[in-house]
Amino acid sequence: GCGPRQNLLAVEPRLCELPMITLNMIVKNEAALLPGCLKSVKDFVDVIHITDTGSTDGTVAIAESFGARVSHFDWCDDFAAARNYALGHVDTEWTLWLDADDLVQNPELIPQLVAQCPDNVDAFWGIYKQDGSSQQRRQSLFRTKRYRWVGVVHESLVPVADDSTTATCDLVVIHRKPQARCLEAAKQYLSILLAKEPDNWFGIAESYRYLSFHPDDELKRDAYRDLAVGYYNQALSHLRINKPTRYICLINMAKLNLERVNQDKRWLDLAQRCAVAAIKLDDTRAEGWALRGQCHYLLGQIANANEACEVAMRCDKPRDGLFYHEYYDEHPKALIKHIKDSAQVPNLIKVAGRDF
């Protein structure tokens, strides 16, 4: 999103007829998860429109049982194309977009937000929680005619005009994709990116990083880590990558290197370099400080580790984009506690695998 953001808490409700809201989704073979998603929001939207991209299970019947309007799209390995096709069927002022593996935690906020929305605000940055560690701000609710989708994979909403203004809100969407589905999706995304957007280095790096979580074979895991780091480096070498993306590249490289410190101390040195570079890029974020604290700790530099963790805990969470929430509280807090509880300087091999 572009433009200034507002705090909606200060905005007075508009005394006029409420604008209508459409839940807009693309789905394929989501019979298991779709009911939960629809139940979480069905009483707080006016229209449900679902575009099916080739289901062979009971997905379409389930959608129709909730009163959804259903359209069909021939899948072409392009998520933005599918979402823009779905969006073309929306005729209400506002759109709420979700995936079938999403749940809205506080759906009562949806009509309240549009009722209180000033005329110059086009979208809301809500909270998106996923995989137990990462959170981000996501534009889940937006004015239909003011946005479109871009990106064959890891697609995103972009405003159609430069004067678009957004606001933050407390709408919470919880992502609940099963682990096996996550691995399947990562492989699908990687295949599409390599074929259609081979210069989307950040997206390819993210896919390889996720794949590195799963193999039982340590050699294969390391191969995925190497590929991820290589593509993150390619992304960093190009000026077109924006600052928040560059920051996440450095943080993920630090994390990948820390996963290998039991193999060789050089991975710890590389992790520390990435953490320091992230801090130089943006010292207001906690991830770099927390990871630098972990590096100091593994090197036996206890005072420096404690200081870096203290800085991390004073940082505010970002207002938009991806961030790792555990580095703003749980991670540095746990490491500080461990330092206080331990009287001896840590042994690198014993400590490196601990999950702080």
Side-chain angles (χ1 to χ4, degrees):
C2 310
R5 298 181 177 87
Q6 302 181 11
N7 185 336
L8 200 66
L9 296 178
V11 178
E12 292 294 329
R14 294 186 300 176
L15 300 178
C16 61
E17 183 179 351
L18 296 183
M20 296 182 70
I21 307 162
T22 293
L23 169 63
N24 194 229
M25 306 174 65
I26 63 171
V27 297
K28 181 180 180 181
N29 292 334
E30 296 288 3
L33 294 172
L34 185 59
C37 175
L38 296 180
K39 286 176 184 176
S40 76
V41 295
K42 65 181 179 66
D43 295 329
F44 301 95
V45 297
D46 303 289
V47 180
I48 299 175
H49 177 268
I50 292 179
T51 295
D52 185 77
T53 63
S55 294
T56 55
D57 61 1
T59 295
V60 171
I62 290 169
E64 291 174 340
S65 74
F66 280 85
R69 302 172 183 173
V70 178
S71 60
H72 299 271
F73 179 81
D74 291 331
W75 183 243
C76 60
D77 286 344
D78 188 329
F79 282 89
R83 291 199 189 277
N84 284 326
Y85 176 84
L87 192 59
H89 288 77
V90 177
D91 54 13
T92 58
E93 181 178 351
W94 286 87
T95 294
L96 170 73
W97 80 271
L98 297 172
D99 288 324
D101 46 17
D102 292 334
L103 289 174
V104 180
Q105 182 174 293
N106 46 359
E108 68 280 357
L109 286 185
I110 297 168
Q112 294 175 21
L113 288 167
V114 300
Q116 298 176 12
C117 185
D119 290 336
N120 68 326
V121 169
D122 295 326
F124 290 100
W125 290 91
I127 300 167
Y128 185 61
K129 297 182 178 181
Q130 55 185 336
D131 71 34
S133 64
S134 63
Q135 293 185 14
Q136 65 186 53
R137 287 282 183 178
R138 187 175 85 169
Q139 291 170 290
S140 297
L141 186 61
F142 60 95
R143 293 189 193 270
T144 305
K145 302 299 182 183
R146 299 285 286 174
Y147 282 83
R148 62 184 176 85
W149 292 94
V150 297
V152 296
V153 172
H154 304 305
E155 66 281 12
S156 60
L157 280 168
V158 297
V160 298
D162 293 337
D163 61 348
S164 178
T165 302
T166 62
T168 57
C169 70
D170 296 324
L171 185 68
V172 177
V173 176
I174 299 173
H175 186 66
R176 57 196 174 110
K177 190 187 293 291
Q179 194 76 345
R181 290 277 303 276
C182 289
L183 180 58
E184 176 186 329
K187 290 179 177 178
Q188 179 193 18
Y189 298 163
L190 179 60
S191 175
I192 293 172
L193 284 169
L194 290 173
K196 290 197 166 189
E197 288 187 354
D199 59 348
N200 184 347
W201 302 294
F202 178 75
I204 294 172
E206 288 285 274
S207 297
Y208 278 125
R209 182 178 70 90
Y210 192 83
L211 288 172
S212 75
F213 299 162
H214 298 282
D216 294 329
D217 182 348
E218 187 67 25
L219 291 176
K220 185 177 290 187
R221 186 179 293 119
D222 283 344
Y224 285 140
R225 288 168 177 156
D226 287 340
L227 286 164
V229 169
Y231 276 102
Y232 282 130
N233 271 317
Q234 277 191 273
L236 288 169
S237 70
H238 286 261
L239 296 177
R240 68 178 185 177
I241 302 298
N242 62 31
K243 180 179 175 180
T245 302
R246 298 177 75 85
Y247 187 87
I248 291 298
C249 284
L250 291 165
I251 294 302
N252 286 342
M253 289 169 67
K255 292 170 67 175
L256 287 164
N257 288 323
L258 278 171
E259 290 170 6
R260 305 172 74 170
V261 294
N262 279 325
Q263 300 173 11
D264 192 313
K265 185 178 177 293
R266 69 188 176 95
W267 298 113
L268 179 55
D269 295 333
L270 290 171
Q272 187 173 41
R273 291 180 192 177
C274 292
V276 170
I279 293 169
K280 288 181 179 179
L281 184 64
D282 189 345
D283 62 3
T284 68
R285 293 186 56 156
E287 294 96 335
W289 289 107
L291 288 168
R292 188 176 186 182
Q294 186 174 350
C295 291
H296 281 310
Y297 178 72
L298 295 175
L299 290 167
Q301 300 165 353
I302 305 303
N304 290 338
N306 196 80
E307 181 181 357
C309 288
E310 293 284 358
V311 175
M313 292 177 64
R314 292 196 296 269
C315 294
D316 294 326
K317 294 180 180 179
R319 292 170 58 86
D320 56 55
L322 175 67
F323 62 95
Y324 295 101
H325 72 88
E326 76 271 23
Y327 291 117
Y328 289 79
D329 34 56
E330 296 103 323
H331 187 293
K333 187 182 298 183
L335 184 51
I336 289 173
K337 182 178 184 302
H338 185 78
I339 290 171
K340 290 180 178 178
D341 292 345
S342 178
Q344 59 185 145
V345 175
N347 177 284
L348 176 63
I349 300 301
K350 290 182 180 178
V351 174
R354 295 183 65 92
D355 182 20
F356 296 110

